[in-house]
């Protein structure tokens, strides 16, 4: 058979190797504390589940829905933005519901770039950011981000050295995996940069609500002129602990939103309508649950950071996301992140994500996902203590 051209551009999934070792260890009876995949373990709040059950009992909700999302959900999205960020969103022209942020970003990139177009993404970063461009035939350039990098400085320097000029910039704050956060001044610089170089911006805002120590994550769209250059994606997966529900949305520039709306009309019939109805309740209903979810992640963050620092692995406490990004201890640094992650499973009975899976600039790091309770996190610390 002929080779599949798009598949050939995708490298082997780095996380697969580590996941196999984890599963083999579990099948052998070992108790592995899994801090690897960022799959939220907290249950979806009851009032959201109750609404799903109620809506699912009504036969008219079993039919095909609208690929752009039902009107009342798009109105709820606009209301959420107004209340949270004082940003006005036209629910008809500037908002669209997506099957999670990952699906939305990948389809938007597919419809907005041509083969050979240059796309800037952060590195390390969430894999779909660069790979959505690769799948679409784009030419990806990674811009270093992290505790030892000035991302904006790196971005401007890369732009000056790149020809043809990039067509698209994909960023995300609070950032997965490095947990970096920014203030509104940063987004003001991004908007000015995008206008100067005529570049479209996609901001992935998946961790908008998972912020700690008094920090509040700004929306990219709060900046005057942001709608002229880009869009923002949000997902209900983390804020409302709805990862398996697959609900997200894209808001901002009406032409970009329109392009996504058009390609989605060919690709899907929208999300199961009872899920959309329950999502309206999530956005419009009481927000105490969001704070409770955030507090749980903060408690887990504190337990992991204090435990690791106590046993000699010094890691800075993140102000956002549901992750901890740790540089590999000096004595194991030469192993690289994949071999070190395997080593942690075998010797410490702890699974983490190798930083290389997020890009080459992540190979000196591993990512801990805060998806186990405090007792299990303390167990992980005791396991890691053995190798330190």
């Amino acid at each position: 058979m002929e080779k599949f051209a798009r598949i050939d551009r995708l490298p082997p999934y780095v996380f697969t190797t580590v996941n196999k070792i984890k599963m083999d260890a579990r099948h052998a009876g070992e108790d592995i504390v899994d801090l690897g995949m960022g799959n939220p373990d907290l249950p979806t709040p009851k009032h959201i589940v109750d609404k799903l059950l109620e809506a699912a009992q009504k036969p008219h909700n079993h039919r095909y829905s609208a690929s752009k999302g039902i009107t009342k959900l798009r109105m709820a999205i606009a209301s959420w933005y107004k209340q949270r960020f004082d940003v006005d969103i036209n629910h008809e022209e500037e908002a669209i519901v997506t099957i999670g942020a990952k699906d939305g970003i990948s389809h938007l990139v597919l419809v907005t770039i041509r083969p050979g177009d240059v796309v800037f993404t952060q590195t390390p970063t969430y894999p779909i950011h660069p790979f959505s461009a690769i799948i679409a035939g784009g030419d990806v350039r990674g811009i270093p981000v992290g505790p030892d990098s000035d991302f904006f400085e790196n971005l401007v320097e890369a732009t000056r050295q790149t020809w043809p000029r990039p067509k698209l910039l994909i960023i995300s704050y609070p950032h997965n995996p490095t947990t970096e956060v920014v203030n509104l001044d940063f987004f003001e610089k991004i908007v000015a940069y995008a206008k100067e170089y005529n570049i479209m911006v996609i901001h992935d805002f998946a961790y908008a609500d998972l912020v700690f120590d008094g920090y509040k994550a700004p929306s990219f769209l709060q900046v005057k002129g942001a709608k002229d250059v880009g869009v923002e994606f949000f997902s209900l997966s983390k804020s409302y602990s709805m990862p398996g529900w697959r609900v997200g949305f894209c808001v901002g520039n009406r032409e970009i939103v329109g392009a996504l709306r058009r390609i989605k009309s060919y690709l899907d019939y929208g999300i199961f309508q009872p899920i959309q109805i329950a999502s309206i309740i999530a956005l419009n209903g009481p927000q105490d649950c969001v704070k409770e979810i955030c507090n749980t992640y903060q408690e887990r963050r504190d337990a992991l950071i204090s435990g690791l620092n106590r046993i000699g692995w010094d890691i800075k406490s993140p102000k956002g996301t549901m992750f901890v990004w740790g540089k590999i201890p000096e004595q194991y640094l030469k192993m690289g992140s994949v071999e070190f992650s395997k080593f942690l499973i075998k010797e410490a009975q702890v699974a983490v994500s190798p930083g290389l899976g997020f890009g080459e600039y992540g190979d000196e790091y591993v990512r801990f996902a805060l998806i186990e309770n405090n007792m299990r996190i303390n167990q992980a610390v005791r396991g890691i203590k053995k190798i330190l």
Side-chain angles (χ1 to χ4, degrees):
M1 293 182 69
E2 293 183 10
K3 289 187 176 182
F4 303 114
R6 296 193 191 279
I7 294 296
D8 287 345
R9 292 195 68 196
L10 299 175
Y13 206 49
V14 169
F15 304 115
T16 304
T17 306
V18 177
N19 284 338
K20 184 180 185 307
I21 292 172
K22 176 187 71 179
M23 295 310 299
D24 288 346
R26 282 186 164 172
H27 291 154
E30 293 187 49
D31 182 16
I32 305 296
V33 181
D34 189 359
L35 303 176
M37 183 180 176
N39 190 359
D41 64 311
L42 301 174
T44 304
K46 185 178 182 300
H47 68 285
I48 301 172
V49 177
D50 288 345
K51 191 63 180 181
L52 169 70
L53 296 174
E54 176 192 318
Q57 297 296 325
K58 299 177 180 178
H60 66 266
N61 286 329
H62 300 172
R63 305 180 70 182
Y64 289 130
S65 188
S67 64
K68 65 181 180 180
I70 59 177
T71 301
K72 286 187 177 179
L73 179 51
R74 286 182 283 111
M75 291 173 68
I77 290 164
S79 176
W80 187 85
Y81 257 89
K82 184 63 177 177
Q83 291 176 15
R84 287 290 307 277
F85 305 109
D86 196 26
V87 172
D88 292 312
I89 299 293
N90 181 316
H91 72 273
E92 287 291 352
E93 303 291 336
E94 298 176 340
I96 185 170
V97 180
T98 60
I99 308 172
K102 187 175 184 179
D103 170 271
I105 290 170
S106 56
H107 284 141
L108 178 56
V109 174
L110 185 64
V111 79
T112 52
I113 71 167
R114 300 174 185 270
D117 281 345
V118 176
V119 177
F120 279 175
T121 69
Q122 296 169 305
T123 182
T125 199
Y126 185 50
I128 197 58
H129 295 169
F131 290 123
S132 62
I134 289 171
I135 291 167
D139 182 6
V140 179
R141 310 287 169 85
I143 313 298
V145 63
D148 301 321
S149 296
D150 184 325
F151 173 75
F152 190 76
E153 224 173 72
N154 295 337
L155 175 65
V156 172
E157 187 62 28
T159 306
R160 289 172 180 156
Q161 296 176 4
T162 300
W163 190 261
R165 292 284 192 227
K167 183 172 183 179
L168 172 63
L169 168 67
I170 306 176
I171 55 175
S172 179
Y173 290 99
H175 185 251
N176 173 21
T178 70
T179 73
E180 293 285 299
V181 295
V182 296
N183 55 30
L184 203 56
D185 291 347
F186 173 84
F187 286 138
E188 288 173 352
K189 291 194 292 185
I190 290 290
V191 169
Y193 157 86
K195 288 188 174 186
E196 179 179 355
Y197 293 102
N198 193 28
I199 295 171
M200 185 175 75
V201 178
I202 295 174
H203 179 232
D204 184 350
F205 203 24
Y207 298 94
D209 292 306
L210 300 191
V211 290
F212 319 120
D213 305 330
Y215 171 73
K216 294 187 184 300
S219 163
F220 168 72
L221 296 179
Q222 285 178 273
V223 175
K224 185 179 180 181
K227 281 188 192 177
D228 296 336
V229 298
V231 293
E232 186 163 75
F233 280 88
F234 179 78
S235 165
L236 276 67
S237 296
K238 282 76 180 182
S239 297
Y240 300 93
S241 207
M242 296 168 63
W245 300 54
R246 307 312 304 133
V247 186
F249 53 79
C250 173
V251 293
N253 181 279
R254 63 182 57 207
E255 289 181 21
I256 299 173
V257 169
L260 181 55
R261 182 168 58 244
R262 185 164 184 184
I263 194 171
K264 274 177 60 62
S265 70
Y266 286 92
L267 295 172
D268 68 71
Y269 287 111
I271 303 164
F272 184 44
Q273 195 149 293
I275 290 178
Q276 295 192 60
I277 293 168
S279 299
I280 296 169
I281 298 302
L283 294 172
N284 284 348
Q287 301 297 298
D288 298 353
C289 58
V290 178
K291 186 62 178 173
E292 289 171 10
I293 290 167
C294 183
N295 287 343
T296 300
Y297 285 122
Q298 181 165 334
E299 289 170 6
R300 293 176 178 184
R301 176 206 67 168
D302 293 345
L304 181 60
I305 291 291
S306 63
L308 292 176
N309 287 347
R310 187 173 61 249
I311 64 174
W313 192 347
D314 187 27
I315 297 177
K316 184 180 177 183
S317 187
K319 288 189 175 183
T321 76
M322 53 182 288
F323 306 110
V324 167
W325 183 242
K327 190 166 187 179
I328 298 171
E330 191 64 37
Q331 64 267 42
Y332 297 115
L333 199 55
K334 289 183 180 179
M335 293 176 71
S337 61
V338 175
E339 292 304 315
F340 181 67
S341 296
K342 295 179 186 178
F343 178 68
L344 278 182
I345 294 173
K346 293 176 180 176
E347 302 298 329
Q349 289 73 55
V350 177
V352 298
S353 292
L356 183 63
F358 303 98
E360 59 181 323
Y361 282 88
D363 200 25
E364 292 188 347
Y365 294 80
V366 291
R367 191 196 72 178
F368 299 84
L370 302 172
I371 55 169
E372 296 266 20
N373 62 40
N374 285 12
M375 185 175 72
R376 297 281 285 170
I377 287 173
N378 290 333
Q379 179 181 330
V381 171
R382 290 194 297 272
I384 293 170
K385 184 179 179 181
K386 292 187 297 186
I387 68 163
L388 294 182

